[in-house]
Amino acid sequence: QYCTSQTSTQANITEKYGNQAKALMKKLDSTYHTILKVYSKDTIFVHNFKLAQSAWFKFFEFQEKAMYPSYPSQSYGDLALL
């Protein structure tokens, strides 16, 4: 959903989507730990699952860097922090 209200400010929009991103990351972390707990006896799976999760986070980080390169003379504003 996009904020279309004329009274929405950039700060409101940033806060809203920042809060949504935090909630999603919290849910992802909870799901990750639940999976580790459920499969704790399957050490091969747990090992591979942790490797996959680590690779996913690296992909996420580098995808963001590709989309928003950190040029010294360019700024992407508040949304780059999300």
Side-chain angles (χ1 to χ4, degrees):
Q1 293 178 344
Y2 292 97
C3 292
T4 56
S5 169
Q6 292 179 351
T7 60
S8 294
T9 64
Q10 184 62 49
N12 295 126
I13 295 168
T14 300
E15 180 180 7
K16 176 183 177 181
Y17 288 104
N19 289 339
Q20 288 179 353
K22 287 177 189 175
L24 289 172
M25 290 303 286
K26 186 175 180 179
K27 184 175 180 179
L28 177 65
D29 188 57
S30 174
T31 301
Y32 173 77
H33 288 289
T34 298
I35 291 169
L36 289 178
K37 185 177 179 180
V38 169
Y39 292 95
S40 63
K41 292 182 182 179
D42 188 343
T43 57
I44 294 172
F45 170 81
V46 168
H47 173 76
N48 290 330
F49 185 70
K50 286 180 177 182
L51 288 175
Q53 185 70 2
S54 175
W56 184 86
F57 274 113
K58 286 179 184 175
F59 166 77
F60 182 77
E61 175 187 353
F62 287 108
Q63 180 187 34
E64 186 177 61
K65 286 181 181 184
M67 291 172 59
Y68 303 103
S70 58
Y71 300 116
S73 62
Q74 185 173 358
S75 174
Y76 295 101
D78 292 342
L79 292 178
L81 301 174
L82 296 178

